[in-house]
């Protein structure tokens, strides 16, 4: 089944939680790939800001959570953008029970899950685990926004 979702539509569906399965690689994008995606987003927006940008296919397997089989690098960058801009309903939706969940989960990678939670809540302590690739990703996004 093929569905088309935008960040806005995903934001309206708190039940849409995406999980990175254990067999998937960690977040590996460097500045070059992040900047390419950000440039593509900016170019599309400048061309026609009323049209959604097609970020590409996210291949998923639906179970308890939606497992990202392909597209997790792009989706992680979207999460990092959400953290940078404070897109609360996208990154940290409230479920039907009033509990907040992180939109992007990592199966059996508790440190990465905790890192995202700390970034979302702006509570990263000096002795907390830091996912250096994601941290550099947020720094890349901040620098890109500042320069553009």
């Amino acid at each position: 089944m093929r569905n088309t979702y935008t960040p806005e539509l995903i934001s309206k569906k708190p039940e849409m939680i995406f999980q990175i399965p254990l067999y998937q690689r960690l977040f590996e994008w460097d500045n070059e790939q992040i900047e390419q995606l950000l440039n593509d987003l900016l170019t599309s927006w400048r061309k026609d800001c009323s049209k959604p940008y097609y970020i590409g296919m996210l291949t998923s397997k639906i179970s308890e959570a939606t497992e990202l089989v392909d597209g997790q690098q792009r989706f992680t960058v979207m999460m990092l953008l959400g953290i940078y801009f404070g897109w609360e309903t996208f990154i940290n939706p409230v479920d039907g029970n009033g509990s907040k969940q992180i939109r992007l989960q990592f199966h059996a990678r508790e440190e990465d899950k905790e890192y995202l939670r700390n970034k979302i809540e702006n509570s990263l302590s000096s002795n907390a685990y830091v996912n250096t690739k994601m941290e550099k990703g947020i720094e890349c996004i901040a620098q890109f926004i500042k320069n553009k």
Side-chain angles (χ1 to χ4, degrees):
M1 172 168 43
R2 182 177 177 184
N3 295 315
T4 303
Y5 294 101
T6 63
E8 180 182 18
L9 289 175
I10 291 170
S11 293
K12 292 177 181 177
K13 295 181 169 276
E15 71 278 5
M16 286 191 79
I17 303 298
F18 296 87
Q19 186 173 84
I20 306 299
L22 187 58
Y23 60 83
Q24 285 290 347
R25 66 184 175 148
L26 299 171
F27 179 67
E28 293 294 329
W29 273 15
D30 290 316
N31 287 5
E32 181 180 347
Q33 293 97 346
I34 294 169
E35 288 172 1
Q36 179 65 52
L37 177 57
L38 296 175
N39 274 315
D40 289 350
L41 287 166
L42 181 61
T43 300
S44 175
W45 182 79
R46 284 180 173 161
K47 185 176 177 182
D48 185 350
C49 65
S50 67
K51 290 185 181 177
Y53 172 74
Y54 178 71
I55 197 168
M57 291 283 284
L58 295 176
T59 304
S60 62
K61 173 184 164 189
I62 303 203
S63 56
E64 291 176 17
T66 303
E67 289 187 4
L68 284 177
V69 177
D70 183 44
Q72 71 113 336
Q73 302 293 315
R74 286 170 283 144
F75 196 85
T76 302
V77 171
M78 295 306 294
M79 280 294 293
L80 300 178
L81 271 167
I83 290 169
Y84 178 80
F85 284 113
W87 296 336
E88 188 67 23
T89 57
F90 180 76
I91 59 176
N92 206 15
V94 177
D95 67 17
N97 299 322
S99 300
K100 284 188 175 184
Q101 298 187 57
I102 298 174
R103 178 87 57 190
L104 184 62
Q105 304 282 323
F106 297 90
H107 183 73
R109 295 182 184 150
E110 287 301 316
E111 289 180 326
D112 287 331
K113 184 177 174 180
E114 192 62 30
Y115 167 77
L116 279 182
R117 181 182 326 286
N118 288 334
K119 290 302 286 187
I120 290 166
E121 295 172 355
N122 203 19
S123 63
L124 197 62
S125 67
S126 61
N127 61 345
Y129 166 79
V130 173
N131 181 307
T132 55
K133 284 286 190 176
M134 289 186 201
E135 193 71 20
K136 287 180 180 179
I138 292 171
E139 291 169 8
C140 177
I141 289 166
Q143 193 62 43
F144 183 89
I145 299 300
K146 179 182 174 187
N147 292 337
K148 300 291 179 171

